[in-house]
Amino acid sequence: MKQTVVSAGPSGYVTVDFFSGDYRVSAQISVRNRTVNDILNDKRVSYIEIFDAYISRISQPGYIVGSHHVALLRKDSISFAVVPAEESRPSGQRAYRYGGKLLYQVFLTLPALEVQGKVRTASKLDLYTFLVTNVDDFVVLTEPLARVANFPDNTFSGESFLVNRLLITMFCANDQPEQAE
Amino acid sequence: MPTVLIIDDDHSVLKLLDFAMSKAGFQVTLAGDGSSGLEKAQASPPDLAIVDVMMPDMDGYEVCRRLRADPRTANMAIIILTARAQTVDREAALEAGADEYLVKPVMPDELIRLTREVLARPRAAALPVERPQGRIVTVFSLRGGIGVTSLAVNLAVAFALLRKEEIVILDLSLLAGHVTLMLNLQPQLTLANLLGAEVEPDEKALEPYLVRHSSGVRVLAAPPRPMMPSPGSGQAVKRLTSLLKGRFPYIVADTASSLDEATTTMLTVSDLVIIVVAAEVQALQTTLTSLPALAALGHKDDNLWLVLNQHTPQPPLAVQTVEQALRRPVRAQIPYEPALPQAIQRGVPLLLHKPDSPMAAAVAKLAYQIDKHLEKK
């Protein structure tokens, strides 16, 4: 018999860990029929409305310094968001651009953070295209791990990261891709 | 049947876990926020608590820390259930005192398996967390009908308001206790069941006897029918007060107008005795004869407080006359309050019924003075 899962939030909401500057914000966002990828990459809205926001400093990321029922986050200040795999992909017509069977191991830096993970592409990874001419502001990283530069013991992981391309200060990739299943 | 308390602000989670865990054979209690979860855990400590982290009034780590700091709940098993899934979150949960940590979304079966596993682990009998022992204040007079119970009830409410903690009132008027009447409570279990019990109750067994009033006062009620104190009731009172002292900062005792075994024991174990006197000749005479008996119990003068209760609008004697006759100062005067009979009839303590009345102010001041006095000791 199929069991109902004890979910992380009300139906239609997804719990996301946002990293913005020196802060970690665990909150819920309303996705309805979209995904977190859709919402972060929606260029018509520069803010994201979050609910039940629990704030920690990235120097002490397990310690909650404050909580608020409602808050707004500036999308351009979000370094990356930790999301479930199904929320990292776009829905609808944008989905076709996220296919591909090549997985490139990458290393990138964001303000105060260093991040490693894998980028999926359909053809050879072109750093310029990926970083400069990409249409989406938030790019997907799988098998990700982030480390706080000043507190290297503080690491963050998850199924997927959505990384703010515009805040990437350095982007490195391996030459040889792996074949995705 | 193992008892499990689930604390989560998401009602759909509470509903789902209530169903799944009850079906799995657990006795489930639910709480929708951290504060009420703490209250429920302290009132009736469960075998295990499942605590969400992201809750608005108090986060789950704080709930966990407070449970561990309280001797009543220090030893219970705790599972943190949260959507915060980082390694640091697991560390934070364990640091706060959780036994296990589980990330949402989770299947109920997985949670049930972990609950059973945690409950099967050996646990220490008790953690060495000490709480300061509570103080016993007994309100007494050999002269009946001069407002002893009314003063005891309002004093207990005043302590609860002052300390912002639960206070217990023990109704030792075994022949005709009126504390529950004044608080409009209907107890199912009373002192009759405890004083006659052959088995010594422990803290957990005592819990159902402590009837809760919204003011923060818990009542250990007198029997519904007159009961003669049985031989050995003094020992029972000693055991009870010893248990209650470990749990409440104040125990207020309302005593019978006699020196039976239970009352005498209560007076003996008290930290402070309030001798209620009325400004009338009969009350003076009764008090004068009872003072040597109280002194014989070993109380020093500074722990025997004379309180003049003006239970009629125009008392026949002046306060100076009372002091001269009894050769001791009146520590507090409780003025006459015409609204008191109405408050009693409604079952609402005067401190809540008419908090701005002179009588309410006098009782609150008396509670404050006692608190300061006993704090110094």
Side-chain angles (χ1 to χ4, degrees):
Chain A
M1 197 174 93
K2 194 183 172 189
Q3 268 201 327
T4 310
V5 170
V6 179
S7 61
S11 173
Y13 286 79
V14 175
T15 303
V16 179
D17 253 344
F18 293 101
F19 290 81
S20 176
D22 289 330
Y23 295 93
R24 170 194 181 193
V25 184
S26 306
Q28 308 214 328
I29 62 172
S30 168
V31 286
R32 292 196 182 88
N33 293 323
R34 301 195 296 167
T35 65
V36 179
N37 184 311
D38 294 337
I39 291 165
L40 286 176
N41 283 317
D42 183 349
K43 292 185 191 298
R44 295 168 300 176
V45 188
S46 56
Y47 288 83
I48 181 167
E49 190 175 20
I50 58 177
F51 301 92
D52 297 337
Y54 289 77
I55 303 149
S56 304
R57 300 185 187 105
I58 57 169
S59 55
Q60 288 181 295
Y63 179 70
I64 296 168
V65 294
S67 66
H68 298 279
H69 178 56
V70 185
L72 281 180
L73 261 182
R74 282 175 63 113
K75 286 185 189 172
D76 60 4
S77 75
I78 297 169
S79 300
F80 71 95
V82 185
V83 295
E86 66 274 15
E87 293 296 326
S88 69
R89 292 182 286 269
S91 62
Q93 293 185 344
R94 289 172 58 245
Y96 75 96
R97 286 190 284 113
Y98 278 74
K101 289 222 164 187
L102 299 178
L103 280 174
Y104 282 90
Q105 182 73 41
V106 299
F107 176 88
L108 58 92
T109 55
L110 291 161
L113 293 159
E114 53 197 54
V115 182
Q116 63 188 59
K118 289 178 179 171
V119 166
R120 182 189 285 262
T121 62
S123 57
K124 188 175 177 350
L125 177 65
D126 180 341
L127 294 187
Y128 183 79
T129 307
F130 189 82
L131 211 57
V132 183
T133 63
N134 201 332
V135 177
D136 287 342
D137 288 343
F138 286 84
V139 294
V140 185
L141 231 59
T142 57
E143 299 175 46
L145 179 78
R147 194 178 292 279
V148 182
N150 289 331
F151 305 94
D153 288 340
N154 292 348
T155 59
F156 309 100
S157 58
E159 289 182 3
S160 301
F161 284 3
L162 284 167
V163 179
N164 189 343
R165 179 177 60 85
L166 304 172
L167 290 181
I168 295 174
T169 47
M170 180 173 69
F171 187 81
C172 319
N174 282 1
D175 266 352
Q176 295 301 318
E178 300 167 26
Q179 284 290 328
E181 289 176 9
Chain B
M1 188 185 282
T3 51
V4 174
L5 170 66
I6 304 167
I7 310 173
D8 198 310
D9 63 326
D10 187 338
H11 291 278
S12 58
V13 170
L14 287 180
K15 213 170 154 186
L16 174 60
L17 287 182
D18 184 19
F19 175 75
M21 303 220 49
S22 300
K23 206 174 155 197
F26 296 101
Q27 190 182 324
V28 180
T29 309
L30 306 175
D33 57 62
S35 307
S36 65
L38 273 179
E39 271 177 28
K40 285 182 179 178
Q42 285 158 350
S44 181
D47 297 313
L48 181 140
I50 296 168
V51 186
D52 180 31
V53 170
M54 290 158 70
M55 294 186 289
D57 69 327
M58 187 190 300
D59 69 60
Y61 301 141
E62 187 56 31
V63 173
C64 208
R65 277 189 284 270
R66 291 194 191 190
L67 288 172
R68 288 291 181 236
D70 189 324
R72 288 166 284 174
T73 53
N75 199 35
M76 64 193 267
I78 302 173
I79 296 175
I80 288 267
L81 183 62
T82 177
R84 283 174 55 112
Q86 300 297 334
T87 311
V88 289
D89 300 320
R90 181 184 171 81
E91 287 164 5
L94 299 182
E95 248 173 52
D99 294 277
E100 277 297 342
Y101 163 91
L102 210 53
V103 177
K104 291 178 187 173
V106 64
M107 298 299 281
D109 278 354
E110 193 185 347
L111 184 59
I112 290 164
R113 182 196 55 74
L114 186 66
T115 301
R116 288 194 176 123
E117 187 193 310
V118 171
L119 285 172
R121 291 177 193 167
R123 307 195 71 78
L127 289 180
V129 183
E130 283 195 11
R131 182 194 166 104
Q133 288 283 290
R135 305 290 196 164
I136 303 176
V137 177
T138 295
V139 188
F140 172 75
S141 173
L142 282 179
R143 170 103 174 130
I146 58 169
V148 171
T149 302
S150 171
L151 180 59
V153 166
N154 281 288
L155 193 61
V157 173
F159 278 132
L161 295 173
L162 178 70
R163 300 288 298 235
K164 295 184 173 57
E165 286 179 87
E166 284 192 331
I167 304 296
V168 69
I169 182 163
L170 187 56
D171 192 350
L172 274 182
S173 301
L174 302 178
L175 290 172
H178 290 136
V179 170
T180 49
L181 185 77
M182 290 193 178
L183 292 170
N184 194 22
L185 298 170
Q186 280 97 35
Q188 300 297 316
L189 296 166
T190 70
L191 273 168
N193 311 79
L194 284 175
L195 295 182
E198 287 178 6
V199 182
E200 288 188 22
D202 58 13
E203 199 172 300
K204 205 167 180 176
L206 195 58
E207 184 57 35
Y209 290 83
L210 301 169
V211 189
R212 195 185 296 270
H213 185 260
S214 58
S215 60
V217 170
R218 304 286 292 269
V219 181
L220 192 43
R225 283 181 291 279
M227 172 189 173
M228 288 305 290
S230 55
S233 59
Q235 280 304 316
V237 167
K238 257 189 193 170
R239 286 196 301 269
L240 276 178
T241 50
S242 169
L243 274 176
L244 294 170
K245 277 175 79 165
R247 164 94 189 268
F248 297 96
Y250 274 102
I251 299 126
V252 177
D254 176 29
T255 49
S257 302
S258 68
L259 283 170
D260 58 45
E261 190 182 335
T263 302
T264 308
T265 308
M266 197 70 228
L267 289 165
T268 310
V269 300
S270 295
D271 294 287
L272 191 138
V273 176
I274 291 177
I275 308 161
V276 184
V277 63
E280 54 173 42
V281 175
Q282 304 93 310
L284 280 190
Q285 189 195 22
T286 313
T287 308
L288 202 56
T289 54
S290 59
L291 283 173
L294 290 169
L297 296 175
H299 282 295
K300 291 179 182 169
D301 274 0
D302 70 336
N303 290 332
L304 294 174
W305 284 29
L306 204 60
V307 172
L308 181 63
N309 190 25
Q310 294 181 350
H311 69 302
T312 53
Q314 289 173 326
L317 301 176
V319 62
Q320 294 82 358
T321 314
V322 174
E323 288 180 326
Q324 279 169 9
L326 298 176
R327 296 190 196 92
R328 60 176 59 226
V330 168
R331 293 289 194 127
Q333 290 185 60
I334 311 298
Y336 173 73
E337 175 50 58
L340 185 62
Q342 193 191 15
I344 293 171
Q345 202 175 344
R346 286 188 179 182
V348 182
L350 191 86
L351 258 88
L352 305 179
H353 178 72
K354 209 172 173 188
D356 53 351
S357 63
M359 181 181 170
V363 176
K365 187 179 170 190
L366 176 62
Y368 178 78
Q369 287 171 332
I370 293 170
D371 193 49
K372 287 287 157 211
H373 175 74
L374 293 177
E375 197 178 78
K376 284 183 204 155
K377 291 179 74 180

